[in-house]
Amino acid sequence: DADEAALKASINLDIGTDVQAFDAATAKTNADQSWTGSQRATPTTDNDGSFDMNAALDFLCTPTGSFTLTFTNITQGQRGCIYLVNGSNYAVSAAATTKVTSSFLSAVSTTGEYWISYWSPDGTNVLVTLAGDFA
């Protein structure tokens, strides 16, 4: 029909650009998934001790001075790791929303390499633990 053809021409939508193309291999965010390919996150380098949870899951941190361990854009349920290389006994403190164990700050304020795990249970606070000391 000429009217239908004219209407389609006037809409001018391109599949894959204006409208998502069908792809059976596309993950759905509202359904359980079975993964056949590897899923990994590329670590983000952030040396100031303030970690933006929108930027990455995993971070590499080699500070050049003392810092306050802080998280921004805190997202409930997000968890990840920080590889901290403290090259010179730089003092580490924790922001009020960064919850650490009693021995954590003294441990990571010492020269060494550390694997730190974090998790936000509520979208307000981030629980942080020392997963490994590689000094």
Side-chain angles (χ1 to χ4, degrees):
D1 169 271
D3 290 333
E4 184 178 338
L7 178 61
K8 286 181 180 178
S10 69
I11 293 174
N12 194 27
L13 297 176
D14 292 325
I15 302 296
T17 302
D18 300 309
V19 179
Q20 182 175 342
F22 174 77
D23 181 355
T26 300
K28 295 172 182 61
T29 59
N30 63 346
D32 289 336
Q33 304 291 302
S34 293
W35 303 103
T36 56
S38 60
Q39 306 300 308
R40 54 184 158 256
T42 301
T44 295
T45 299
D46 190 331
N47 295 326
D48 65 2
S50 178
F51 303 101
D52 181 351
M53 293 176 88
N54 279 345
L57 295 173
D58 301 317
F59 299 92
L60 306 172
C61 181
T62 305
T64 57
S66 298
F67 66 93
T68 300
L69 183 60
T70 307
F71 293 86
T72 59
N73 293 310
I74 299 172
T75 304
Q76 183 178 21
Q78 183 170 327
R79 65 193 74 212
C81 297
I82 302 165
Y83 177 62
L84 171 66
V85 179
N86 188 337
S88 188
N89 290 329
Y90 296 126
V92 180
S93 58
T97 57
T98 302
K99 308 300 183 186
V100 298
T101 61
S102 59
S103 61
F104 177 85
L105 295 175
S106 61
V108 298
S109 293
T110 303
T111 298
E113 299 175 24
Y114 305 95
W115 175 20
I116 298 167
S117 292
Y118 71 87
W119 175 56
S120 176
D122 57 13
T124 300
N125 298 294
V126 179
L127 309 179
V128 179
T129 186
L130 182 57
D133 175 352
F134 302 98

